[in-house]
Amino acid sequence: MKKNYIANGEINASEIALGCMRINNLSNIEASKLISTALDEGINFFDHADIYGGGKSEEVFAEAFDANHITREKIIIQSKCGIRDGYFDFSKEHILNSVEHSLKRLKMDYLDILLLHRPDTLMEPEEVAEAFSKLHSSGKVKYFGVCNQNPMQIELLNKYLNNKIIINQLQLSITNTGMIDSGLNVNMQIDPSIDRDGSILEYCRLKDITIQAWSPFQFGFFEGVFLNNDKYPELNNKINEIAATKGVTNSAIAIAWILRHPAKIQPLVGTTNSKRLVDICKATQVELTRQEWYEIYRAAGNKLP
């Protein structure tokens, strides 16, 4: 699998990352097989969060990690914090406690990357900076990022941070393209021209912040998968047509569509099926043409101005 350098070249990350939200539902043997398959396919980046499976996902991963006898330095572990029961919490105390608990569950000494999970409007950036500084100086976290934040929220944080934001995790799929739509419909009086994210796509490219695409197979907000879904007949016909010409599955084309963007977006795939993961990873061997990319975009119901 191809690798992309992030954090100004300090991290060499696989083009595709494995999201570990649902691995709490796997047995130790199944989880071990999934992690082994990911490594065999060239995935070295694993995404967690303190809330996934109520913390059990990190525990299951730790057991699978041990079973595969993986050298810690050869993989990249990312976790997230900030979501609590009914509210968000970017307080220094919660950030520090969350990292301690994640490390304990993961049976690891450090996280490569810590993300703030969703924006907290009560955030005090100076307090976040104190937490990040303590985590970095103690060697418990190397790099930091955010999820679902707009440019001004990142700017506010970066004003106080010594270790600047390197990642922004955002929802993106063929059927969730708001950050792309607004850039294609500039100066138009139509809904797709509405910039709901503050030009976050262009901002991240300007600031060398890696975008990670979560839910790359979902439509809406966890409403379902668009592949093989009767709600999207034209889109599935087009994806299947291109998949046949490339000799891959439709899931590979859905990920190849994201990888084709020059922003070097890293898809987070959350499958727990090892065979499907192998199929998905074939996306890195597919190069969509510009015409094919736009054909898929329009087949999802988007219109070009």
Side-chain angles (χ1 to χ4, degrees), residues 276-288:
R276 186 161 185 257
L277 182 60
V278 172
D279 290 338
I280 290 170
C281 287
K282 288 183 171 60
T284 64
Q285 304 166 24
V286 173
E287 181 69 26
L288 295 178

Side-chain angles (χ1 to χ4, degrees), residues 104-129:
K104 183 177 181 180
R105 289 189 292 265
L106 288 164
K107 299 180 182 179
M108 295 180 180
D109 297 325
Y110 68 94
L111 298 174
D112 293 283
I113 307 162
L114 174 70
L115 306 185
L116 296 177
H117 210 169
R118 292 279 172 185
D120 174 15
T121 193
L122 301 182
M123 174 191 74
E124 298 180 45
E126 300 93 334
E127 196 172 340
V128 174

Side-chain angles (χ1 to χ4, degrees), residues 1-270:
M1 180 178 296
K2 298 176 185 176
K3 302 287 197 300
N4 285 324
Y5 284 102
I6 61 179
N8 293 317
E10 295 178 22
I11 299 176
N12 196 14
S14 51
E15 277 194 306
I16 294 173
L18 182 65
C20 299
M21 183 170 72
R22 297 181 180 88
I23 66 170
N24 63 296
N25 296 315
L26 301 180
S27 68
N28 288 341
I29 293 175
E30 291 170 332
S32 179
K33 180 181 178 182
L34 180 68
I35 303 307
S36 176
T37 301
L39 294 168
D40 288 344
E41 291 299 312
I43 291 176
N44 68 351
F45 199 112
F46 300 89
D47 175 71
H48 295 271
D50 57 355
I51 62 168
Y52 290 168
K56 187 180 177 183
S57 291
E58 290 177 328
E59 293 175 352
V60 171
F61 182 88
E63 296 301 321
F65 176 85
D66 288 342
N68 281 284
H69 306 291
I70 307 166
T71 302
R72 173 66 179 90
E73 291 70 26
K74 290 186 177 180
I75 64 171
I76 301 162
I77 298 294
Q78 172 177 279
S79 196
K80 301 182 283 292
C81 70
I83 296 180
R84 304 190 72 171
D85 188 12
Y87 64 105
F88 303 126
D89 188 351
F90 286 2
S91 66
K92 177 181 177 181
E93 179 183 15
H94 179 67
I95 292 171
L96 295 177
N97 286 340
S98 178
V99 170
E100 289 294 339
H101 289 140
S102 284
L103 291 176
K104 183 177 181 180
R105 289 189 292 265
L106 288 164
K107 299 180 182 179
M108 295 180 180
D109 297 325
Y110 68 94
L111 298 174
D112 293 283
I113 307 162
L114 174 70
L115 306 185
L116 296 177
H117 210 169
R118 292 279 172 185
D120 174 15
T121 193
L122 301 182
M123 174 191 74
E124 298 180 45
E126 300 93 334
E127 196 172 340
V128 174
E130 289 178 11
F132 282 9
S133 179
K134 185 171 183 177
L135 290 169
H136 187 264
S137 63
S138 65
K140 292 179 180 178
V141 180
K142 293 184 176 182
Y143 302 94
F144 301 90
V146 295
C147 300
N148 310 291
Q149 294 207 11
N150 65 37
M152 289 300 100
Q153 290 170 325
I154 296 173
E155 286 289 306
L156 178 60
L157 266 174
N158 274 340
K159 177 182 178 181
Y160 298 92
L161 298 180
N162 292 322
N163 304 96
K164 306 302 182 185
I165 299 301
I166 66 163
I167 284 172
N168 192 9
Q169 205 171 99
L170 299 161
Q171 186 176 19
L172 175 67
S173 71
I174 295 172
T175 54
N176 288 71
T177 55
M179 71 176 81
I180 293 173
D181 301 340
S182 60
L184 287 171
N185 293 277
V186 173
N187 202 38
M188 301 288 291
Q189 294 185 7
I190 52 177
D191 283 349
S193 71
I194 299 172
D195 183 0
R196 294 178 170 86
D197 308 303
S199 299
I200 191 62
L201 175 60
E202 292 76 15
Y203 171 83
C204 287
R205 294 183 72 181
L206 283 168
K207 298 293 184 178
D208 295 321
I209 295 172
T210 296
I211 293 175
Q212 293 178 334
W214 59 266
S215 289
F217 300 109
Q218 291 276 334
F219 67 91
F221 187 69
F222 293 115
E223 292 177 42
V225 175
F226 59 80
L227 293 175
N228 303 319
N229 192 313
D230 292 341
K231 288 186 176 183
Y232 296 94
E234 184 179 350
L235 174 60
N236 279 287
N237 287 339
K238 177 54 65 176
I239 289 176
N240 291 338
E241 173 191 319
I242 295 175
T245 65
K246 307 288 185 182
V248 296
T249 62
N250 56 359
S251 59
I253 295 300
I255 295 300
W257 186 86
I258 294 174
L259 293 175
R260 175 63 176 82
H261 199 283
K264 295 184 178 179
I265 297 166
Q266 183 185 44
L268 299 174
V269 300

